[in-house]
Amino acid sequence: MSNRPPITPDTKVAELLHHYPELEEVLIGLAPPFKKLKNPFLRKSVAKVASLRQAAAVGKIPVYDMVDQLRATVGQAPSSSEATLDDDSYFSAQPEWFDRSQVVATIVEAEISPDVMPLNPLIRRGAKLREGEMIELVTTYLPAPGIDIMKGKGFSVWSVEEGDLIKTYFSKSELQ
């Protein structure tokens, strides 16, 4: 066990499952969206970029509750959970830049092959956006890793829950 790194909110899901394969079923059992880890393609792609912090946001689980449950399963002491839960940071009030009439494309998770991450068509379509235009991504979970990647590419992002769906808007707008 000493050669295995400690489990933290910043641990990537793929790294966790590489070092702790016994945690696969525990992780999948924590939230319905984690069942997608059974898909080999998504496991190789999403799991490499998604941190446990992002996974917790997707699963609507307090990050330190999830980390401590995983840590307890492998005999690690509870984490120092002084930090606040930040999955709420993915949701905020409607930003000033949002204008539904500027949505030029909608990507619906349910209409995409289960072997394709919604992030792939989002990145392709996002590269073609003009200033002020938006893409709407409709998923059954918070696409936290994709949100962070797109923010890193300079996109303004806003997510809103509508019933059982999460609608996330990506804009080339300079306003944030």
Side-chain angles (χ1 to χ4, degrees):
M1 188 182 311
S2 61
N3 292 336
R4 301 197 295 182
I7 300 168
T8 71
D10 296 321
T11 301
K12 299 292 184 201
V13 173
E15 178 185 348
L16 174 83
L17 297 177
H18 171 76
H19 291 288
Y20 302 96
E22 69 273 25
L23 291 179
E24 178 180 1
E25 291 304 320
V26 175
L27 187 60
I28 289 171
L30 290 174
F34 299 164
K35 289 179 185 167
K36 293 182 181 216
L37 288 171
K38 291 286 190 183
N39 178 317
F41 177 80
L42 294 178
R43 172 113 169 226
K44 287 180 183 177
S45 54
V46 175
K48 286 185 179 179
V49 299
S51 67
L52 290 178
R53 182 180 316 279
Q54 293 166 330
V58 170
K60 298 181 180 181
I61 303 168
V63 66
Y64 284 99
D65 288 355
M66 182 173 84
V67 167
D68 284 347
Q69 185 169 348
L70 295 169
R71 289 175 67 98
T73 302
V74 297
Q76 291 180 10
S79 62
S80 161
S81 58
E82 299 151 3
T84 59
L85 174 66
D86 44 354
D87 62 327
D88 287 340
S89 67
Y90 287 101
F91 296 101
S92 62
Q94 181 176 311
E96 289 184 27
W97 57 261
F98 180 78
D99 179 354
R100 188 175 296 278
S101 71
Q102 295 302 308
V103 173
V104 296
T106 298
I107 299 169
V108 180
E109 168 201 18
E111 297 172 359
I112 300 172
S113 163
D115 292 336
V116 175
M117 290 185 348
L119 182 61
N120 294 338
L122 177 64
I123 289 173
R124 281 194 305 275
R125 186 62 182 92
K128 299 175 186 175
L129 279 184
R130 294 188 197 139
E131 187 75 23
E133 292 181 331
M134 288 187 272
I135 297 173
E136 175 185 53
L137 176 62
V138 181
T139 55
T140 56
Y141 58 90
L142 179 71
I147 289 170
D148 292 345
I149 288 168
M150 294 301 281
K151 281 183 176 179
K153 293 181 176 290
F155 285 80
S156 297
V157 181
W158 178 57
S159 296
V160 61
E161 287 185 270
E162 292 186 8
D164 293 337
L165 298 176
I166 307 286
K167 292 186 177 182
T168 305
Y169 298 91
F170 301 86
S171 175
K172 277 233 174 144
S173 172
E174 294 299 317
L175 301 175
Q176 293 191 13

